[in-house]
Amino acid sequence: MSEEHHVVDTATGEDAPAEVSEERVQHIFGAIAEQYKKFNAVSSFGLYKGWLRATVDAANLAAESDLLDLAGGTGDVSYMAAQRRKPAHVQLTDFVPEMLAVAKKRYQMGENNGVPFDFEVVDAQDVPYDDCSYDAVTMAYGIRNIPDRMKALSEVHRVLKPSGTFACLEFSTPPNPVWRGLYHIYLKVMIPFWGWLFTKDRPSFVYLADSIRAFPPQEEYAQMLRDAGFKDVTWKNYAGGIVAIHTGTK
Ligand SMILES: C[S@@+](CC[C@H](N)C(=O)[O-])C[C@H]1O[C@@H](n2cnc3c(N)ncnc32)[C@H](O)[C@@H]1O
């Protein structure tokens, strides 16, 4: 395991105290929780559902699986897992209570497909569960927002059962320079525009675009997973690398 722990400002990737990013994340996701779904659908041209399905499939869930969804937000991955794989139990967690409040409403609407869920406010850098307690852990668009990423990855590894799977969906770096250039223009111009349109909160969406550009590319992030102790680390690009799903086993 690597001894080097970088705590970063998630908007820039530069070293900074964790509170800088944590307070910003509380503010942003506390404010956009109710609009989150609409924003995702529009800003990804509807592609995000396919990426969620692929994340759930990558998590290797079976009928007896206990799934921990970290940074689970309003529950997109958890509910997709319940509908697609019907695991035995889902622990749906997030740092921001307002996001979980929307997730709980979805539970009341029956989106859990009969699968029992528990909800808890959890910081992915300090997970309050026992070692070796989950068959699979998922995290979608979470790790990019976390200042001490190695701490979070070590926590994921710790709570997974041996042979358990971690499936992590995150924005990434398109390898083709032309596609990358176009994508970065889209990030700079369109994401803040959609943000303004939906929430009138343009700065939060400038953050979103900045944090995407500052996140390590595919191989660098894969190495962080290996450093945290994961085996068989691999990734698959979607939409030419706009997002990537990394997987690793314990
Ligand atoms: C872009 S949302 C993704 C939510 C959900 N996974 C999805 O796919 O819709 C990012 C989430 O990460 C959460 N988050 C940020 N920092 C976190 C941390 N340290 N621990 C747990 N969750 C965190 C935010 O509260 C937010 O709900």
Side-chain angles (χ1 to χ4, degrees):
M1 180 119 45
S2 163
E3 292 305 315
E4 216 182 330
H5 263 232
H6 279 295
V7 179
V8 296
D9 177 342
T10 57
T12 62
E14 304 293 329
D15 289 359
E19 304 78 61
V20 172
S21 302
E22 286 167 356
E23 282 166 21
R24 183 173 47 218
V25 146
Q26 295 269 7
H27 167 75
I28 292 177
F29 291 102
I32 67 170
E34 295 285 345
Q35 302 289 334
Y36 181 76
K37 194 173 185 177
K38 214 188 304 169
F39 172 76
N40 271 348
V42 172
S43 64
S44 75
F45 305 106
L47 289 172
Y48 86 107
K49 280 245 169 182
W51 301 338
L52 290 174
R53 276 194 287 274
T55 306
V56 165
D57 291 350
N60 279 327
L61 295 169
E64 61 280 6
S65 296
D66 197 348
L67 167 66
L68 170 62
D69 191 14
L70 285 174
T74 60
D76 280 354
V77 175
S78 292
Y79 292 116
M80 182 63 80
Q83 283 155 24
R84 214 168 154 75
R85 294 289 168 125
K86 235 177 183 292
H89 174 251
V90 174
Q91 187 74 13
L92 171 44
T93 66
D94 196 272
F95 195 40
V96 173
E98 290 86 345
M99 292 292 273
L100 278 184
V102 176
K104 285 178 191 165
K105 278 190 216 156
R106 295 176 66 177
Y107 192 80
Q108 282 151 13
M109 303 291 285
E111 282 195 55
N112 58 313
N113 191 27
V115 175
F117 277 38
D118 284 296
F119 301 86
E120 192 167 1
V121 174
V122 168
D123 180 350
Q125 300 159 116
D126 188 14
V127 177
Y129 307 132
D130 290 341
D131 297 0
C132 306
S133 43
Y134 288 95
D135 300 283
V137 177
T138 48
M139 182 152 34
Y141 312 115
I143 192 75
R144 192 187 74 253
N145 293 299
I146 292 176
D148 192 343
R149 291 166 186 152
M150 283 312 298
K151 183 79 187 356
L153 294 177
S154 304
E155 285 290 82
V156 173
H157 191 266
R158 181 182 65 74
V159 299
L160 268 176
K161 293 179 187 170
S163 305
T165 304
F166 177 43
C168 184
L169 169 64
E170 192 48 90
F171 290 103
S172 203
T173 307
N176 179 301
V178 176
W179 185 229
R180 186 164 65 240
L182 288 171
Y183 173 54
H184 282 183
I185 292 169
Y186 176 74
L187 281 179
K188 202 171 171 62
V189 179
M190 287 311 290
I191 293 289
F193 171 72
W194 295 129
W196 171 80
L197 197 66
F198 284 120
T199 66
K200 304 285 172 269
D201 181 11
R202 198 173 176 281
S204 293
F205 290 86
V206 172
Y207 162 74
L208 180 65
D210 288 345
S211 67
I212 291 173
R213 275 191 298 262
F215 191 70
Q218 287 84 335
E219 173 50 33
E220 203 179 311
Y221 181 51
Q223 188 55 46
M224 290 168 71
L225 287 172
R226 291 183 205 109
D227 290 345
F230 286 97
K231 294 183 300 191
D232 309 320
V233 174
T234 181
W235 74 84
K236 194 165 173 205
N237 286 333
Y238 292 84
I242 284 178
V243 300
I245 297 173
H246 282 72
T247 51
T249 53
K250 178 159 173 179

